[in-house]
Amino acid sequence: MNADRLPVVILISGRGTNLQSVIDEVHAGRLPLDIRAVISNNPDAEGLARARAANLHTEVVSHRAYLDRVAFDDALRQAIDRHVPKLVVLAGFMRILGRAFIEHYAGRLINIHPSLLPKYPGLDTHARALAAGEREHGASVHFVTPVVDAGPIVAQAVVPVLPGDTPETLAERVLKEEHRIFPLALRWFAEGRLSIRDGRVLLDGAQRPEQGLVGAAT
Ligand code: GRF
């Protein structure tokens, strides 16, 4: 039944709204993924309940159970690979992953980040964008490479920064766009439409606009 769907494993750490956007698109028949497992490093992640509600297989690989990052990365890799995914999706996964882990999934590890990369890698992106007086902010979907939040960009969405914005109001505006471009980028991957040349993502073999696709959906 799932033969035409791409096998994926999704990693989360928290509330799981991006996971939910993916689940919703799969259920709507617009995103051909076979979600083989949702794995969290945090046993209390709200996203685990979302996954269970969608009858998905869930697992917890707690980073606290391992002595160091290498041991955690190894355990996580083993848990993932038991499901033989062709794509591993970081949907609000908040642990830094080591080089060996990332290289193991080269070209099949995708992340969503709440900024217009290369601006504001790392944490507290909304507060930093506000403090810098940015007039635009947004979200990026990118392939993961060993440098944090620096891999080739698949899709971006821009939102305005409005007078009176707080980190919370700005985050909410960005999150709405995350929920749009994340499933879209995963669909492109699942349909085999993405490739990487010279560190840039191509869609259907064509060079992308500056910094990846901004805005429009296809
Ligand atoms: C999102 O803003 C995502 O971009 C970032 O972490 C947040 C996760 O939110 N990587 P959620 O768990 O998907 O609701």
Side-chain angles (χ1 to χ4, degrees):
M1 180 187 161
N2 284 325
D4 53 348
R5 291 169 178 266
L6 188 82
V8 301
V9 168
I10 302 181
L11 305 187
I12 60 166
S13 298
R15 72 195 157 170
T17 65
N18 278 290
L19 166 68
Q20 190 70 57
S21 73
V22 173
I23 291 172
D24 291 348
E25 286 299 286
V26 170
H27 285 175
R30 288 189 291 259
L31 181 53
L33 301 184
D34 172 14
I35 304 173
R36 298 238 168 126
V38 173
I39 302 179
S40 175
N41 65 301
N42 167 15
D44 301 321
E46 258 177 77
L48 286 169
R50 295 176 185 274
R52 284 189 211 108
N55 286 321
L56 296 172
H57 173 80
T58 61
E59 289 175 38
V60 172
V61 181
S62 170
H63 57 279
R64 295 180 198 283
Y66 298 90
L67 279 182
D68 56 28
R69 197 162 81 188
V70 173
F72 169 67
D73 282 6
D74 278 353
L76 185 59
R77 183 174 45 72
Q78 284 173 31
I80 294 169
D81 284 350
R82 273 196 286 275
H83 301 284
V84 203
K86 292 207 168 128
L87 175 67
V88 176
V89 177
L90 305 182
F93 185 73
M94 301 307 284
R95 303 297 299 175
I96 303 275
L97 294 161
R99 175 177 286 272
F101 180 100
I102 289 168
E103 285 175 353
H104 178 73
Y105 297 107
R108 56 189 181 112
L109 185 59
I110 284 186
N111 183 43
I112 175 96
H113 181 78
S115 80
L116 291 173
L117 292 172
K119 284 187 169 180
Y120 309 113
L123 298 174
D124 300 324
T125 56
H126 310 300
R128 286 156 63 207
L130 284 176
E134 297 284 359
R135 307 183 65 152
E136 288 186 330
H137 186 46
S140 306
V141 181
H142 66 97
F143 283 101
V144 178
T145 56
V147 180
V148 175
D149 297 329
I153 291 167
V154 180
Q156 290 185 310
V158 180
V159 303
V161 176
L162 300 178
D165 259 341
T166 63
E168 291 72 29
T169 58
L170 186 53
E172 200 179 314
R173 197 171 308 123
V174 169
L175 193 63
K176 237 184 229 157
E177 289 301 300
E178 293 186 35
H179 297 162
R180 185 175 66 80
I181 63 170
F182 200 31
L184 175 66
L186 298 181
R187 174 156 68 81
W188 288 340
F189 187 97
E191 292 172 346
R193 296 169 66 188
L194 298 179
S195 54
I196 304 175
R197 197 201 304 149
D198 301 330
R200 294 184 68 115
V201 175
L202 308 183
L203 176 65
D204 300 330
Q207 185 87 29
R208 320 300 313 289
E210 188 61 20
Q211 294 185 9
L213 182 103
V214 177
T218 63

